[in-house]
Amino acid sequence: RHMLRRAYNHVPRLARCYSSDSGHVTVRSTLFVPIVHDKPTEAFAPSQQLLTQAGFIRKVSNGVFTLLPLGMRTMEKLINIVDQEMHKAGGQKIHLPSLLSADLWRRSGRWGTAGPELMRMQDRKGEDHCLAPTHEEPVTALVAADITSYRSLPLKLYQIGTKFRDEIRPRFGLLRAREFVMKDMYSFDIDKQGALNAYDEMTKAYHRVFQRLCVPYAVADADSGSIGGSLSHEFHIVADVGEDQLLCCKACGYAANVEKAEGRMVHTHIPALALEEPPSEVTVHYLMPDIPPPPSTIPPSHKTQSTTTTTQTSQKSSSSSSVLPTGPTSSTLPSCVLAVSTSPSTSPSPTSLAVLQSSRLTSRRALLP
């Protein structure tokens, strides 16, 4: 009994204390966790509401948030996982400044092409600067100045730091903010094949990160945007809240962002309608199934007639100087009826057009003048 009591006293009280990576224990009664019982009215996303109520974050301004102790603990755990996987892939961690000079951006040509998302400013001397949304320019200048031999390559440098983008509509809490934490890696290789190999290694590392987080995610082809490049993929956490839309194929596993998605057109052969005389004016009426067209477009002598078989329809269409398509099936045609009425500028001539209804294509055909 004495041994059991001693073992029980050494069990950490998770509900009463929290320990950091350094081993320091913080008692729950002294931990700064301001809990809010009411839902914040300015929070649109459920994730932002929960993080605010649970005392993880606080909103400072539109798109800018403060991470409280619990939010910092969560961020540190995420950074630790990313650091471990980047080190496995051969990455070396550095820290680049957030305030960048405009000279490097002018040399790369992106100072003039960057949109309003780039936060620009001037110092007291009138020199242009910007708050870094990404760090291609400074890291490239760093390597170009200090790497003098190809024997120092390949080289993978990465950082996890604060980025700034002047979003036009910052919402969804931390998902789209003006100030955010981002991990970005830059690889330098001897040839194109080496760059592709580094790309594959990073892709595998990202897979391992998301698998360790145990979250549902999808990998999709993406547009490189202003950064440029011929190959780009996005790793998305599947959630109900967000702005990106993915087009996925369950048959082949293809997935891409709507900005990058490429599809294959399925061509269906539909014979052209034969007209006796090209009309000078065409009026198109979109009709729901089983709803007849306006009475003014159907003369009394040519009322809509329904047939019961395809053979009878074909015979009736040939006597009315109209070619009725019989090739496509109901699954390849739209679900609405398309009625076309012609109004020649000269003397009217009887012209018949076929009206197809996909829901009853094999059992019902309608003819309109």
Side-chain angles (χ1 to χ4, degrees):
R1 182 180 302 177
H2 179 68
M3 294 177 61
L4 290 176
R5 185 179 295 112
R6 291 182 58 186
Y8 178 78
N9 293 332
H10 286 82
V11 174
R13 308 297 197 272
L14 297 180
R16 298 176 54 187
C17 61
Y18 297 87
S19 61
S20 62
D21 295 336
S22 60
H24 177 70
V25 177
T26 302
V27 182
R28 173 63 182 87
S29 59
T30 62
L31 188 64
F32 179 59
V33 185
I35 298 177
V36 179
H37 297 283
D38 298 332
K39 290 184 179 180
T41 57
E42 71 277 3
F44 175 78
S47 58
Q48 181 181 354
Q49 296 175 358
L50 295 175
L51 289 174
T52 302
Q53 289 182 274
F56 281 73
I57 63 174
R58 282 295 181 269
K59 182 179 178 180
V60 178
S61 61
N62 199 15
V64 180
F65 296 89
T66 296
L67 292 180
L68 300 182
L70 291 182
M72 281 300 302
R73 285 172 55 85
T74 305
M75 182 66 70
E76 290 172 356
K77 290 183 178 181
L78 292 175
I79 293 176
N80 187 28
I81 293 176
V82 175
D83 283 337
Q84 292 176 5
E85 298 302 332
M86 292 301 105
H87 291 162
K88 291 180 181 178
Q92 303 179 48
K93 192 173 184 178
I94 60 175
H95 176 74
L96 297 170
S98 298
L99 184 63
L100 302 180
S101 174
D103 295 338
L104 291 175
W105 283 70
R106 290 193 178 100
R107 289 169 56 185
S108 64
R110 292 206 299 172
W111 182 261
T113 59
E117 293 80 11
L118 181 64
M119 292 188 176
R120 310 167 192 257
M121 61 189 66
Q122 290 184 346
D123 58 11
R124 64 179 65 187
K125 299 179 181 179
E127 297 180 355
D128 293 327
H129 294 77
C130 67
L131 292 178
T134 182
H135 282 86
E136 282 81 10
E137 284 81 4
V139 72
T140 303
L142 173 66
V143 174
D146 294 324
I147 298 297
T148 58
S149 173
Y150 69 92
R151 294 182 178 87
S152 301
L153 302 178
L155 178 64
K156 300 183 183 70
L157 302 177
Y158 82 98
Q159 69 161 349
I160 300 177
T162 305
K163 300 293 191 296
F164 300 88
R165 291 177 186 173
D166 190 6
E167 298 286 350
I168 185 173
R169 288 186 302 273
R171 52 181 179 175
F172 300 124
L174 301 178
L175 297 181
R176 181 175 288 273
R178 291 180 174 177
E179 180 182 352
F180 54 94
V181 178
M182 185 177 79
K183 172 264 164 187
D184 44 337
M185 172 175 278
Y186 307 93
S187 64
F188 300 87
D189 303 273
I190 299 176
D191 52 12
K192 182 178 180 180
Q193 186 60 42
L196 293 177
N197 295 336
Y199 189 92
D200 293 338
E201 292 177 0
M202 286 300 102
T203 303
K204 296 177 182 178
Y206 285 157
H207 278 286
R208 294 194 299 267
V209 169
F210 282 92
Q211 290 170 3
R212 291 182 60 178
L213 295 178
C214 298
V215 293
Y217 70 97
V219 184
D221 294 345
D223 187 10
S224 301
S226 60
I227 298 178
S230 58
L231 188 61
S232 178
H233 288 84
E234 293 177 344
F235 285 73
H236 296 262
I237 294 180
V238 181
D240 296 333
V241 179
E243 288 188 341
D244 286 339
Q245 296 181 353
L246 303 181
L247 299 180
C248 305
C249 178
K250 296 181 179 180
C252 63
Y254 174 79
N257 195 301
V258 292
E259 301 175 353
K260 183 67 175 179
E262 298 178 356
R264 293 181 298 174
M265 181 67 69
V266 179
H267 298 280
T268 303
H269 177 68
I270 301 179
L273 300 177
L275 301 178
E276 294 181 356
E277 183 178 352
S280 59
E281 181 181 356
V282 178
T283 304
V284 179
H285 303 279
Y286 289 93
L287 308 177
M288 296 301 294
D290 299 332
I291 299 180
S296 60
T297 61
I298 306 178
S301 58
H302 296 278
K303 293 293 183 180
T304 303
Q305 300 180 3
S306 300
T307 58
T308 56
T309 60
T310 306
T311 305
Q312 296 177 0
T313 304
S314 302
Q315 295 176 355
K316 188 64 177 180
S317 63
S318 61
S319 62
S320 302
S321 302
S322 174
V323 177
L324 182 65
T326 59
T329 61
S330 60
S331 61
T332 61
L333 295 177
S335 58
C336 63
V337 179
L338 175 62
V340 182
S341 60
T342 61
S343 302
S345 57
T346 58
S347 59
S349 60
T351 304
S352 300
L353 297 180
V355 179
L356 304 181
Q357 181 177 346
S358 63
S359 60
R360 298 181 178 87
L361 180 65
T362 58
S363 62
R364 181 174 180 179
R365 300 296 173 92
L367 299 178
L368 291 179

Coordinates of all heavy atoms in Angstrom, one line a residue, residues 260-331:
K260 N -6.5 25.3 -61.6 CA -5.5 24.6 -62.4 C -6.1 23.3 -63.0 O -5.5 22.7 -63.9 CB -4.4 24.1 -61.4 CG -3.3 23.4 -62.0 CD -2.4 24.2 -63.0 CE -1.2 23.4 -63.5 NZ -0.4 24.2 -64.4
A261 N -7.3 23.0 -62.7 CA -7.9 21.7 -63.1 C -8.0 21.6 -64.6 O -8.3 22.6 -65.3 CB -9.3 21.5 -62.5
E262 N -7.8 20.5 -65.2 CA -7.9 20.2 -66.6 C -8.8 19.0 -66.8 O -8.6 18.0 -66.1 CB -6.5 20.0 -67.2 CG -5.6 21.2 -67.1 CD -4.2 20.9 -67.8 OE1 -4.1 19.7 -68.2 OE2 -3.4 21.8 -67.8
G263 N -9.7 19.1 -67.6 CA -10.7 18.0 -67.9 C -10.7 17.6 -69.3 O -10.1 18.2 -70.2
R264 N -11.3 16.4 -69.6 CA -11.4 15.9 -70.9 C -12.8 16.0 -71.4 O -13.7 15.6 -70.7 CB -10.9 14.5 -71.0 CG -9.5 14.2 -70.7 CD -9.1 12.8 -70.8 NE -9.8 12.0 -69.8 CZ -9.8 10.7 -69.8 NH1 -9.0 10.0 -70.6 NH2 -10.4 10.0 -68.8
M265 N -13.0 16.7 -72.6 CA -14.3 16.8 -73.1 C -14.8 15.5 -73.7 O -14.1 14.9 -74.5 CB -14.3 17.9 -74.2 CG -15.7 18.2 -74.8 SD -16.8 18.9 -73.6 CE -16.1 20.5 -73.4
V266 N -16.0 15.1 -73.3 CA -16.6 13.9 -73.9 C -17.5 14.4 -75.0 O -18.5 15.0 -74.9 CB -17.5 13.2 -72.8 CG1 -18.2 12.0 -73.4 CG2 -16.6 12.8 -71.6
H267 N -17.1 14.0 -76.2 CA -17.7 14.4 -77.5 C -18.9 13.5 -77.8 O -18.7 12.2 -77.8 CB -16.8 14.5 -78.6 CG -15.7 15.5 -78.5 ND1 -15.8 16.8 -78.6 CD2 -14.4 15.3 -78.0 CE1 -14.7 17.5 -78.4 NE2 -13.8 16.6 -78.0
T268 N -20.1 14.0 -77.9 CA -21.2 13.2 -78.3 C -21.7 13.7 -79.7 O -22.0 14.9 -79.9 CB -22.3 13.4 -77.3 OG1 -21.8 13.0 -76.0 CG2 -23.5 12.5 -77.6
H269 N -21.8 12.8 -80.6 CA -22.2 13.1 -82.0 C -23.7 13.3 -82.0 O -24.5 12.4 -81.8 CB -21.8 12.0 -82.9 CG -22.3 12.3 -84.4 ND1 -21.7 13.4 -85.1 CD2 -23.2 11.7 -85.1 CE1 -22.3 13.3 -86.3 NE2 -23.2 12.4 -86.3
I270 N -24.2 14.5 -82.3 CA -25.6 14.8 -82.5 C -25.7 15.4 -83.9 O -25.2 16.5 -84.2 CB -26.1 15.9 -81.5 CG1 -25.9 15.3 -80.1 CG2 -27.5 16.2 -81.7 CD1 -26.3 16.3 -79.0
P271 N -26.5 14.7 -84.8 CA -26.6 15.2 -86.2 C -27.2 16.6 -86.2 O -28.1 16.9 -85.3 CB -27.5 14.2 -86.8 CG -27.4 13.0 -86.0 CD -27.1 13.5 -84.6
A272 N -26.8 17.4 -87.1 CA -27.3 18.8 -87.2 C -28.8 18.8 -87.7 O -29.2 17.9 -88.5 CB -26.5 19.6 -88.1
L273 N -29.5 19.7 -87.3 CA -30.9 19.9 -87.8 C -30.9 20.5 -89.2 O -30.3 21.5 -89.4 CB -31.7 20.7 -86.8 CG -31.8 20.2 -85.4 CD1 -32.5 21.2 -84.5 CD2 -32.4 18.9 -85.3
A274 N -31.7 19.8 -90.1 CA -31.8 20.3 -91.4 C -32.9 21.4 -91.5 O -34.1 21.1 -91.2 CB -32.1 19.1 -92.4
L275 N -32.6 22.5 -92.0 CA -33.5 23.6 -92.2 C -33.7 23.9 -93.7 O -32.7 23.8 -94.5 CB -33.0 24.9 -91.5 CG -32.8 24.7 -90.0 CD1 -32.3 26.1 -89.5 CD2 -34.1 24.4 -89.3
E276 N -34.9 24.1 -94.1 CA -35.2 24.5 -95.5 C -34.6 25.8 -95.9 O -34.1 26.0 -97.0 CB -36.7 24.5 -95.8 CG -37.3 23.1 -95.7 CD -38.8 23.1 -96.0 OE1 -39.3 24.3 -96.2 OE2 -39.4 22.1 -96.0
E277 N -34.7 26.8 -95.0 CA -34.2 28.1 -95.3 C -33.6 28.7 -94.0 O -34.1 28.6 -92.9 CB -35.4 29.0 -95.7 CG -35.0 30.4 -96.1 CD -36.2 31.2 -96.5 OE1 -37.3 30.6 -96.7 OE2 -36.0 32.4 -96.7
P278 N -32.4 29.3 -94.1 CA -31.7 29.8 -92.9 C -32.6 31.0 -92.3 O -33.0 31.9 -93.0 CB -30.4 30.4 -93.4 CG -30.2 29.7 -94.7 CD -31.5 29.4 -95.3
P279 N -33.0 30.9 -91.0 CA -33.8 31.9 -90.5 C -33.0 33.2 -90.2 O -31.8 33.2 -90.0 CB -34.3 31.3 -89.1 CG -33.2 30.4 -88.8 CD -32.6 29.8 -90.1
S280 N -33.7 34.3 -90.3 CA -33.1 35.6 -90.1 C -33.2 36.0 -88.6 O -32.5 36.9 -88.1 CB -33.7 36.7 -90.9 OG -35.1 36.8 -90.6
E281 N -34.1 35.4 -87.9 CA -34.2 35.7 -86.4 C -34.6 34.4 -85.7 O -35.5 33.6 -86.2 CB -35.3 36.7 -86.2 CG -35.5 37.1 -84.7 CD -36.6 38.1 -84.6 OE1 -37.1 38.6 -85.6 OE2 -36.9 38.5 -83.4
V282 N -34.0 34.1 -84.6 CA -34.2 32.8 -83.9 C -34.6 33.2 -82.5 O -33.9 34.0 -81.8 CB -32.9 31.9 -83.9 CG1 -33.2 30.7 -83.1 CG2 -32.6 31.6 -85.3
T283 N -35.6 32.6 -82.0 CA -36.0 32.8 -80.6 C -35.9 31.4 -79.9 O -36.5 30.4 -80.4 CB -37.5 33.3 -80.5 OG1 -37.6 34.5 -81.3 CG2 -37.9 33.5 -79.1
V284 N -35.3 31.4 -78.7 CA -35.0 30.2 -78.0 C -35.8 30.2 -76.7 O -35.8 31.2 -76.0 CB -33.5 30.0 -77.7 CG1 -33.3 28.7 -76.9 CG2 -32.7 30.0 -79.0
H285 N -36.6 29.2 -76.5 CA -37.3 29.0 -75.2 C -36.8 27.8 -74.5 O -36.8 26.7 -75.0 CB -38.8 28.8 -75.5 CG -39.4 29.9 -76.4 ND1 -39.8 31.1 -75.8 CD2 -39.6 30.0 -77.7 CE1 -40.3 31.9 -76.8 NE2 -40.2 31.3 -78.0
Y286 N -36.4 28.0 -73.2 CA -36.1 26.9 -72.4 C -37.3 26.5 -71.5 O -37.8 27.3 -70.8 CB -34.9 27.3 -71.4 CG -33.6 27.5 -72.2 CD1 -33.2 28.7 -72.7 CD2 -32.8 26.4 -72.4 CE1 -32.0 28.9 -73.4 CE2 -31.6 26.5 -73.1 CZ -31.2 27.8 -73.6 OH -30.0 27.9 -74.3
L287 N -37.7 25.2 -71.7 CA -38.9 24.7 -71.1 C -38.5 23.6 -70.1 O -37.6 22.8 -70.4 CB -39.9 24.2 -72.1 CG -40.2 25.2 -73.3 CD1 -41.1 24.6 -74.2 CD2 -40.8 26.5 -72.7
M288 N -39.2 23.5 -69.0 CA -39.1 22.4 -68.1 C -39.8 21.2 -68.7 O -40.6 21.3 -69.6 CB -39.7 22.7 -66.8 CG -39.0 23.9 -66.0 SD -37.3 23.5 -65.7 CE -37.4 22.2 -64.6
P289 N -39.4 20.0 -68.3 CA -40.1 18.8 -68.8 C -41.6 18.8 -68.6 O -42.1 19.3 -67.6 CB -39.4 17.6 -68.1 CG -38.1 18.2 -67.6 CD -38.3 19.7 -67.4
D290 N -42.3 18.4 -69.7 CA -43.8 18.3 -69.7 C -44.4 19.6 -69.7 O -45.6 19.7 -69.4 CB -44.2 17.4 -68.5 CG -43.7 16.0 -68.5 OD1 -43.4 15.5 -69.7 OD2 -43.6 15.4 -67.5
I291 N -43.7 20.7 -69.9 CA -44.4 22.0 -70.0 C -44.3 22.5 -71.5 O -43.3 22.6 -72.0 CB -43.6 23.1 -69.1 CG1 -43.7 22.6 -67.7 CG2 -44.3 24.5 -69.3 CD1 -43.0 23.6 -66.7
P292 N -45.5 22.7 -72.1 CA -45.5 23.1 -73.5 C -44.9 24.5 -73.8 O -44.9 25.3 -72.8 CB -46.9 23.0 -73.9 CG -47.7 23.2 -72.6 CD -46.8 22.6 -71.6
P293 N -44.5 24.8 -75.0 CA -44.0 26.1 -75.3 C -45.1 27.1 -75.3 O -46.3 26.7 -75.2 CB -43.3 25.9 -76.7 CG -44.0 24.8 -77.3 CD -44.3 23.8 -76.1
P294 N -44.8 28.4 -75.4 CA -45.9 29.4 -75.5 C -46.8 29.1 -76.7 O -46.4 28.7 -77.8 CB -45.2 30.7 -75.7 CG -43.8 30.5 -75.1 CD -43.5 29.0 -75.4
P295 N -48.2 29.4 -76.5 CA -49.1 29.1 -77.6 C -48.8 29.8 -78.9 O -49.1 29.4 -80.0 CB -50.5 29.5 -77.0 CG -50.2 29.4 -75.5 CD -48.8 29.9 -75.4
S296 N -48.2 31.0 -78.8 CA -48.0 31.8 -80.0 C -47.0 31.2 -80.9 O -47.0 31.5 -82.1 CB -47.5 33.2 -79.6 OG -46.3 33.1 -78.9
T297 N -46.2 30.3 -80.5 CA -45.1 29.7 -81.3 C -45.6 28.4 -82.0 O -44.9 27.8 -82.8 CB -43.9 29.4 -80.5 OG1 -44.3 28.4 -79.5 CG2 -43.3 30.6 -79.8
I298 N -46.8 28.0 -81.7 CA -47.3 26.7 -82.3 C -48.6 27.0 -83.1 O -49.7 27.3 -82.5 CB -47.6 25.7 -81.2 CG1 -46.4 25.5 -80.4 CG2 -48.1 24.4 -81.8 CD1 -46.6 24.5 -79.3
P299 N -48.6 27.1 -84.4 CA -49.8 27.3 -85.2 C -50.8 26.1 -85.0 O -50.4 25.0 -84.6 CB -49.3 27.3 -86.6 CG -47.8 27.6 -86.5 CD -47.4 27.0 -85.2
P300 N -52.1 26.4 -85.2 CA -53.1 25.3 -85.0 C -52.9 24.1 -85.8 O -53.2 23.0 -85.4 CB -54.4 26.0 -85.3 CG -54.1 27.5 -85.2 CD -52.7 27.7 -85.6
S301 N -52.3 24.3 -87.0 CA -52.1 23.1 -87.9 C -50.9 22.3 -87.5 O -50.7 21.2 -88.0 CB -51.9 23.6 -89.3 OG -50.8 24.5 -89.4
H302 N -50.1 22.8 -86.6 CA -48.9 22.0 -86.2 C -48.8 21.9 -84.7 O -47.8 22.3 -84.1 CB -47.6 22.7 -86.8 CG -47.5 22.7 -88.3 ND1 -47.1 21.7 -89.0 CD2 -47.9 23.7 -89.1 CE1 -47.1 22.0 -90.3 NE2 -47.6 23.2 -90.4
K303 N -49.8 21.4 -84.1 CA -49.8 21.2 -82.6 C -48.8 20.1 -82.3 O -48.4 19.3 -83.1 CB -51.2 20.8 -82.1 CG -52.2 21.9 -82.3 CD -51.9 23.0 -81.3 CE -53.0 24.1 -81.4 NZ -52.7 25.2 -80.5
T304 N -48.3 20.2 -81.1 CA -47.3 19.2 -80.6 C -47.9 17.8 -80.6 O -49.0 17.6 -80.0 CB -46.8 19.6 -79.2 OG1 -46.3 20.9 -79.3 CG2 -45.7 18.6 -78.7
Q305 N -47.3 16.9 -81.2 CA -47.7 15.5 -81.3 C -46.7 14.6 -80.6 O -45.5 14.8 -80.8 CB -47.9 15.1 -82.7 CG -49.0 16.0 -83.5 CD -49.2 15.5 -84.9 OE1 -48.5 14.5 -85.3 NE2 -50.0 16.2 -85.7
S306 N -47.2 13.7 -79.8 CA -46.4 12.7 -79.2 C -46.5 11.4 -79.8 O -47.6 11.0 -80.2 CB -46.7 12.6 -77.7 OG -46.6 13.9 -77.1
T307 N -45.4 10.7 -79.9 CA -45.4 9.3 -80.5 C -45.0 8.4 -79.4 O -44.3 8.7 -78.4 CB -44.5 9.2 -81.7 OG1 -43.2 9.6 -81.3 CG2 -45.0 10.2 -82.8
T308 N -45.2 7.1 -79.6 CA -44.9 6.1 -78.6 C -43.6 5.3 -78.9 O -43.1 4.7 -78.0 CB -46.1 5.1 -78.5 OG1 -46.4 4.6 -79.8 CG2 -47.3 5.9 -78.0
T309 N -43.2 5.3 -80.1 CA -42.0 4.6 -80.5 C -41.1 5.4 -81.3 O -41.5 6.4 -81.9 CB -42.4 3.3 -81.3 OG1 -43.0 3.7 -82.5 CG2 -43.3 2.4 -80.5
T310 N -39.8 5.0 -81.4 CA -38.9 5.8 -82.2 C -39.2 5.7 -83.7 O -38.9 6.6 -84.4 CB -37.5 5.3 -81.9 OG1 -37.2 5.3 -80.5 CG2 -36.4 6.1 -82.6
T311 N -39.7 4.6 -84.1 CA -39.9 4.4 -85.6 C -41.0 5.4 -86.0 O -40.8 6.0 -87.1 CB -40.4 2.9 -85.8 OG1 -39.4 2.1 -85.3 CG2 -40.6 2.7 -87.3
Q312 N -42.1 5.5 -85.3 CA -43.1 6.4 -85.7 C -42.6 7.9 -85.7 O -43.0 8.7 -86.6 CB -44.3 6.3 -84.7 CG -45.0 4.9 -84.8 CD -46.1 4.8 -83.8 OE1 -46.3 5.8 -83.0 NE2 -46.7 3.7 -83.7
T313 N -41.8 8.2 -84.8 CA -41.2 9.6 -84.7 C -40.4 9.9 -85.9 O -40.4 11.0 -86.5 CB -40.4 9.8 -83.4 OG1 -41.2 9.5 -82.3 CG2 -39.9 11.2 -83.3
S314 N -39.5 8.9 -86.3 CA -38.7 9.2 -87.5 C -39.5 9.3 -88.7 O -39.2 10.2 -89.6 CB -37.7 8.0 -87.6 OG -36.9 7.8 -86.4
Q315 N -40.6 8.6 -88.9 CA -41.4 8.7 -90.1 C -42.1 10.1 -90.1 O -42.2 10.7 -91.1 CB -42.4 7.6 -90.1 CG -41.8 6.2 -90.3 CD -42.8 5.1 -90.2 OE1 -44.0 5.4 -89.9 NE2 -42.4 3.9 -90.5
K316 N -42.6 10.5 -88.9 CA -43.3 11.8 -88.9 C -42.3 12.9 -89.2 O -42.6 13.9 -89.8 CB -43.9 12.0 -87.5 CG -44.8 13.2 -87.4 CD -46.0 13.1 -88.3 CE -46.9 14.3 -88.1 NZ -48.1 14.2 -89.0
S317 N -41.1 12.9 -88.7 CA -40.1 13.9 -88.9 C -39.7 14.0 -90.3 O -39.5 15.1 -90.9 CB -38.9 13.7 -88.0 OG -38.2 12.5 -88.4
S318 N -39.7 12.9 -91.1 CA -39.3 13.0 -92.5 C -40.3 13.6 -93.3 O -40.0 14.3 -94.3 CB -39.0 11.6 -93.0 OG -40.2 10.8 -92.9
S319 N -41.6 13.5 -93.0 CA -42.7 14.1 -93.7 C -42.8 15.6 -93.4 O -43.4 16.3 -94.2 CB -44.0 13.4 -93.4 OG -44.3 13.6 -92.1
S320 N -42.2 16.1 -92.4 CA -42.2 17.5 -92.0 C -40.9 18.2 -92.3 O -40.7 19.3 -91.8 CB -42.5 17.6 -90.5 OG -43.7 17.0 -90.1
S321 N -40.1 17.6 -93.1 CA -38.8 18.3 -93.6 C -37.9 18.6 -92.4 O -37.4 19.7 -92.2 CB -39.1 19.5 -94.4 OG -39.9 19.3 -95.5
S322 N -37.8 17.6 -91.5 CA -36.9 17.8 -90.3 C -36.2 16.5 -90.0 O -36.7 15.4 -90.2 CB -37.8 18.2 -89.1 OG -37.0 18.2 -87.9
V323 N -34.9 16.6 -89.6 CA -34.1 15.5 -89.3 C -34.1 15.4 -87.8 O -33.7 16.3 -87.1 CB -32.7 15.6 -89.8 CG1 -31.8 14.5 -89.4 CG2 -32.7 15.8 -91.3
L324 N -34.6 14.3 -87.3 CA -34.6 14.0 -85.8 C -33.5 13.2 -85.4 O -33.3 12.1 -85.8 CB -36.0 13.3 -85.5 CG -36.2 13.1 -84.0 CD1 -36.3 14.4 -83.3 CD2 -37.4 12.2 -83.8
P325 N -32.6 13.7 -84.5 CA -31.5 12.8 -84.1 C -32.0 11.7 -83.2 O -32.8 11.8 -82.3 CB -30.6 13.8 -83.2 CG -31.5 14.9 -82.9 CD -32.6 15.0 -83.9
T326 N -31.4 10.5 -83.5 CA -31.8 9.3 -82.8 C -30.6 8.6 -82.2 O -30.7 7.6 -81.6 CB -32.5 8.3 -83.7 OG1 -31.6 8.0 -84.8 CG2 -33.8 8.9 -84.3
G327 N -29.4 9.2 -82.4 CA -28.2 8.5 -81.8 C -28.0 8.6 -80.4 O -27.8 7.6 -79.7
P328 N -28.0 9.8 -79.7 CA -27.7 9.9 -78.3 C -28.7 9.3 -77.4 O -29.9 9.1 -77.8 CB -27.6 11.5 -78.1 CG -27.6 12.1 -79.5 CD -28.3 11.1 -80.4
T329 N -28.3 8.9 -76.3 CA -29.2 8.4 -75.3 C -29.6 9.5 -74.3 O -29.1 10.6 -74.4 CB -28.5 7.3 -74.5 OG1 -27.3 7.8 -73.8 CG2 -28.1 6.1 -75.4
S330 N -30.5 9.1 -73.4 CA -31.0 10.1 -72.5 C -30.0 10.6 -71.5 O -30.1 11.7 -71.0 CB -32.2 9.5 -71.7 OG -31.8 8.4 -71.0
S331 N -28.9 9.8 -71.3 CA -27.9 10.3 -70.3 C -27.0 11.3 -70.8 O -26.2 11.9 -70.1 CB -27.1 9.1 -69.8 OG -26.4 8.5 -70.9

